[in-house]
Amino acid sequence: MKRIYTEAEWRPLWLGLVQEKKSLGFVPTMGALHQGHMDLVEESLSQTDYTLVSIFVNPTQFNSHEDFQNYPNTLEADLALLEAQGVDAVFLPSTETLYPSPPQLSIDFGHLSRVLEGKFRPGHFHGVGLIVAKLFHIIRPTVAFFGQKDLQQVAVVRRLLHDLSFNIDLEVVTTRREKDGLAMSSRNLRLDPQERAVAPLLYSGMQEIKQHLLSGVSWKEAKASFLRRLESEKQFQMEYIALVHPETFEIFEIFSPLGSSSICLAAYLGKIRLIDNLPII
Ligand code: PAF
């Protein structure tokens, strides 16, 4: 597995792929890899000729310095995992390489920047947009792989690809869950045992809402019963729960079985913020 640190090192390898007409799969990550990331890697390995994974903890997408500082760093284990999986190359840029000076550009995704994650993490999608655009320009992949777990991020990336005319295909990979239903996330490592024990309630609660909606219960009632259940578990602090269109993030007050919709939520368990989503139709 090649370790690449700069665009200058990558360009000749990329040119080689172009000359050999090989497709390039790209999996952007911030490290602390788990099976959810490895699913993206596996998809890339099976769908493309050459797979590059980037590991970079992007400072511009964190809205709390503490969260940035506490982001887990498991680089050696990550590299061993990727190598064992058969990844061709890993991109490990330094902050100075990607941000030689503080960026002045500000990226606003309109409605997507103002609702749910956009509302509760102001500036987050600006940072995601910046780094993903930089990485796309440097790596120039054929296909980029993103996880469905970050559904709003997927919508943001789709917008970025469209509005900036990137010639890159987007592949969205289903959320990988622990046996008890908790969506895999690097943040799960920071839950204490009590928090970890109740965390799966977020997923089971969404499944219950889904069943209610499909059997005719209103969104308002289904959501209220979920919130009552969560309130009885004192450890949760709910940030939002919404029914949305999975691509536009239009927020629905009424469930319709005729169009696509997904439940999206964010909640704190102690200091750890968890997000998850579930497609209804
Ligand atoms: O999903 C993530 O891990 C990050 O938001 C990404 C896409 C790697 C950009 O830093």
Side-chain angles (χ1 to χ4, degrees):
M1 183 172 73
K2 288 212 157 52
R3 296 185 189 195
I4 295 150
Y5 298 89
T6 62
E7 179 167 11
E9 284 171 77
W10 172 237
R11 198 53 61 222
L13 293 166
W14 177 83
L15 265 175
L17 295 175
V18 173
Q19 277 156 2
E20 289 171 35
K21 296 198 180 344
K22 288 198 165 149
S23 58
L24 166 62
F26 174 42
V27 182
T29 81
M30 298 205 297
L33 303 182
H34 49 67
Q35 193 49 49
H37 294 109
M38 298 318 282
D39 287 352
L40 305 185
V41 169
E42 280 196 15
E43 278 300 318
S44 178
L45 288 168
S46 70
Q47 290 186 32
T48 66
D49 300 317
Y50 190 101
T51 291
L52 179 144
V53 176
S54 66
I55 301 181
F56 177 68
V57 184
N58 173 37
T60 62
Q61 72 186 77
F62 286 84
N63 31 11
S64 136
H65 188 64
E66 194 191 346
D67 201 20
F68 174 58
Q69 292 293 330
N70 289 333
Y71 202 83
N73 177 335
T74 56
L75 185 60
E76 286 315 312
D78 292 349
L79 293 172
L81 264 179
L82 296 174
E83 181 129 42
Q85 203 71 15
V87 164
D88 298 285
V90 60
F91 183 50
L92 301 164
S94 67
T95 307
E96 293 68 36
T97 305
L98 291 185
Y99 294 107
S101 63
Q104 300 300 309
L105 175 72
S106 172
I107 308 186
D108 184 345
F109 289 92
H111 176 71
L112 287 171
S113 288
R114 285 182 250 301
V115 296
L116 312 190
E117 288 302 287
K119 178 173 168 189
F120 286 95
R121 301 186 67 189
H124 171 64
F125 288 133
H126 149 77
V128 169
L130 261 184
I131 194 65
V132 171
K134 276 174 185 283
L135 291 168
F136 282 173
H137 279 302
I138 295 171
I139 307 302
R140 302 191 201 171
T142 323
V143 192
F145 295 83
F146 284 81
Q148 191 194 35
K149 154 106 189 335
D150 294 302
L151 191 67
Q152 200 169 350
Q153 172 169 278
V154 168
V156 156
V157 171
R158 193 175 286 116
R159 200 72 241 172
L160 191 80
L161 288 170
H162 177 269
D163 287 2
L164 295 181
S165 307
F166 280 103
N167 185 17
I168 297 170
D169 290 332
L170 172 64
E171 278 290 328
V172 183
V173 179
T174 318
T175 304
R176 167 73 75 142
R177 299 184 179 279
E178 304 285 357
K179 281 200 181 73
D180 58 13
L182 177 65
M184 286 194 184
S185 160
S186 309
R187 289 167 204 267
N188 296 352
L189 294 173
R190 291 164 55 205
L191 294 170
D192 73 25
Q194 277 189 341
E195 292 163 351
R196 177 63 190 83
V198 294
L201 261 177
L202 295 175
Y203 181 57
S204 56
M206 285 195 297
Q207 283 180 308
E208 214 171 282
I209 296 180
K210 177 173 176 169
Q211 278 163 11
H212 280 154
L213 293 177
L214 295 175
S215 60
V217 177
S218 72
W219 163 245
K220 202 172 159 198
E221 268 178 66
K223 180 172 79 171
S225 112
F226 168 76
L227 291 176
R228 275 195 301 276
R229 170 80 184 89
L230 222 63
E231 258 167 38
S232 65
E233 292 291 342
K234 300 275 176 269
Q235 301 178 68
F236 283 101
Q237 242 194 306
M238 200 67 196
E239 203 163 61
Y240 65 76
I241 174 157
L243 186 67
V244 301
H245 185 280
E247 290 188 6
T248 63
F249 274 73
E250 179 192 345
I251 295 178
F252 301 131
E253 297 304 335
I254 293 171
F255 168 68
S256 161
L258 299 178
S260 302
S261 58
S262 290
I263 305 168
C264 291
L265 58 74
Y268 276 93
L269 257 177
K271 285 190 157 180
I272 311 305
R273 185 172 185 275
L274 300 177
I275 63 169
D276 203 352
N277 66 82
L278 184 69
I280 306 296
I281 294 177

